């Protein structure tokens, strides 16, 4: 009876798998703070994409981890057509075609030696407008490589508009934008920074949002829609369900939530200690995010959860 009258259902197609691919390794490298998640080789990434299709997951969001020696101040590996993210996009596209929505993280932080999401000015501060020029180049190379959707995650002002223009001017009118609309400066990104081998010293407080602010997210939302966002995202998910609910109420485009690395790590760590029922906790977090208004959820549990949901 509970199943019959449930108001909220999570479906495998609601789920998007974030995945990491690392250059120059010949076997997957486990990420310590995210048990069960790895940095993929090009080959194992292909397999992971096929697994995701088979499980009924609808999308994959790719993050590239370059060799350390290829990081520089401008993050040039992020715009090299032969950079790790671009080759991985081509691999996955040739492997699964249109069976999975292939999404690409559009940000410089994995490719810069200082670890920031943009390029720096002479005083060492992130230069918003110079960064936008780099994002325009990234948009083109990622779309050329076969991404269906770009996810600008750097939180620069004007990034959605610049990416939309770059796509339209290079014949990629059909490539969509999933805007990281409300991205908070969060302590829960910790494990992700290990996952991408981040070089960041300091924090991203000058461009990511203050957890105390909700109205600011609605303002970011209006700007992103105006600039051409096709879908919008709230990130992190669990601690920001109120933001998610407000965003979902306010728009008529699909809304995503990103259940981030720290949210994943907390459940896995508590489960490892025997303090929590892992499988129930996972589905409960996803149900809560869906109930708050998400149409789609980026989650590192995507494949496992999709399989579990298919059996219910
Ligand atoms: C930045 C980016 C971050 C995440 C995705 N893209 C983190 C950051 O701002 O350092 C976090 C994802 C996660 O924690 O799972 N390109």
């Amino acid at each position: 009876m509970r199943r019959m009258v449930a108001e909220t259902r999570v479906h495998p197609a609601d789920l998007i798998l974030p995945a990491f691919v690392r250059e120059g390794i010949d076997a997957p490298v486990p990420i310590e703070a995210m048990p069960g998640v790895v940095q993929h080789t090009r080959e194992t990434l292909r397999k992971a994409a096929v697994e995701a299709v088979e499980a009924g997951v609808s999308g994959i969001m790719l993050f590239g981890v370059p060799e350390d020696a290829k990081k520089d101040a401008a993050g040039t590996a992020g715009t090299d057509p032969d950079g790790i993210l671009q080759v991985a996009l081509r691999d996955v596209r040739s492997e699964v075609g249109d069976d999975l929505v292939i999404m690409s993280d559009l940000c410089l932080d994995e490719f810069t030696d200082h670890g920031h999401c943009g390029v720096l000015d002479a005083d060492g501060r992130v230069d918003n407008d110079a960064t936008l020029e780099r994002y325009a180049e990234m948009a083109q190379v990622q779309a050329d490589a076969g991404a269906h959707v770009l996810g600008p995650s750097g939180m620069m002002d004007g990034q959605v508009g610049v990416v939309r223009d770059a796509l339209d001017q290079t014949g990629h009118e059909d490539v969509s934008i999933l805007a990281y609309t409300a991205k908070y400066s969060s302590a829960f990104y910790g494990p992700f920074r290990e996952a991408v081998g981040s070089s960041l010293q300091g924090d991203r407080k000058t461009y990511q949002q203050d957890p105390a602010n909700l109205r600011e997210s609605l303002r970011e939302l209006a700007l992103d829609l105006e600039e051409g966002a096709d879908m919008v995202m709230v990130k992190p998910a669990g601690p920001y369900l109120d933001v998610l609910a407000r965003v979902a109420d306010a728009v008529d485009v699909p809304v995503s939530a990103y259940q981030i690395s720290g949210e994943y790590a907390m459940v896995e760590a508590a489960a490892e200690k025997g303090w929590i029922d892992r499988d129930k906790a996972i589905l409960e977090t996803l149900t809560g995010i869906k109930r708050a208004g998400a149409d789609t959820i980026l989650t590192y549990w995507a494949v496992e959860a999709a399989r579990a949901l298919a059996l219910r």
Side-chain angles (χ1 to χ4, degrees):
M1 181 87 75
R2 284 166 79 97
R3 192 166 144 254
M4 186 171 79
V5 300
E7 296 172 37
T8 306
R9 289 179 212 283
V10 185
H11 188 275
D14 300 334
L15 305 177
I16 299 166
L17 175 70
F20 305 102
V21 57
R22 177 166 163 192
E23 188 174 30
I25 52 172
D26 47 28
V29 177
I31 299 162
E32 204 185 311
M34 301 175 75
V37 181
V38 299
Q39 295 173 327
H40 282 291
T41 67
R42 287 177 58 184
E43 208 38 52
T44 65
L45 178 67
R46 282 175 179 264
K47 292 196 185 115
V50 171
E51 258 180 32
V53 173
E54 285 166 358
V57 166
S58 64
I60 190 165
M61 171 68 82
L62 298 185
F63 295 90
V65 185
E67 279 169 353
D68 271 344
K70 296 207 179 141
K71 293 186 182 184
D72 58 24
T76 46
T79 44
D80 180 348
D82 297 319
I84 182 64
L85 184 51
Q86 282 68 253
V87 297
L89 285 165
R90 281 195 286 272
D91 287 344
V92 171
R93 186 70 188 258
S94 78
E95 188 72 38
V96 299
D98 293 338
D99 290 345
L100 207 52
V101 178
I102 301 168
M103 306 183 164
S104 180
D105 182 57
L106 197 159
C107 190
L108 283 173
D109 66 315
E110 289 94 8
F111 306 102
T112 51
D113 52 11
H114 45 71
H116 276 293
C117 294
V119 292
L120 308 181
D121 66 15
D123 299 324
R125 283 184 301 218
V126 174
D127 184 333
N128 191 91
D129 294 2
T131 300
L132 293 183
E133 291 172 27
R134 301 285 298 124
Y135 286 180
E137 287 177 58
M138 278 190 111
Q140 181 181 355
V141 293
Q142 293 183 355
D144 284 346
H148 296 109
V149 175
L150 305 186
S153 68
M155 291 305 277
M156 297 301 131
D157 293 336
Q159 63 184 11
V160 172
V162 161
V163 167
R164 184 70 267 158
D165 285 346
L167 290 171
D168 291 347
Q169 285 160 17
T170 54
H172 295 301
E173 293 87 354
D174 292 344
V175 173
S176 306
I177 299 176
L178 168 56
Y180 282 62
T181 288
K183 181 174 176 187
Y184 286 91
S185 179
S186 172
F188 295 101
Y189 298 142
F192 174 91
R193 297 196 182 157
E194 178 197 333
V196 299
S198 173
S199 318
L200 184 69
Q201 308 279 330
D203 60 54
R204 306 196 198 288
K205 285 185 187 159
T206 62
Y207 43 101
Q208 297 182 348
Q209 288 176 234
D210 185 339
N213 294 357
L214 168 60
R215 249 184 344 220
E216 185 185 4
S217 289
L218 300 175
R219 187 153 172 261
E220 293 275 0
L221 175 65
L223 289 167
D224 283 352
L225 292 173
E226 167 99 25
E227 290 174 30
D230 299 286
M231 301 177 254
V232 296
M233 187 206 292
V234 173
K235 174 184 181 180
Y240 297 87
L241 294 182
D242 57 330
V243 180
L244 182 57
R246 288 287 291 275
V247 167
D249 270 351
V251 297
D252 55 8
V253 297
V255 175
S256 258
Y258 196 143
Q259 182 178 56
I260 61 161
S261 57
E263 297 177 73
Y264 177 92
M266 284 194 296
V267 172
E268 292 290 348
E272 204 176 287
K273 282 192 170 276
W275 290 349
I276 199 171
D277 181 328
R278 178 180 176 278
D279 296 356
K280 281 192 184 141
I282 291 172
L283 291 183
E284 187 173 330
T285 61
L286 296 173
T287 302
I289 294 166
K290 187 88 197 282
R291 192 191 60 237
D295 299 298
T296 57
I297 306 171
L298 289 98
T299 174
Y300 299 98
W301 288 306
V303 171
E304 181 185 337
R307 286 180 186 144
L309 290 163
L311 301 174
R312 294 199 338 153

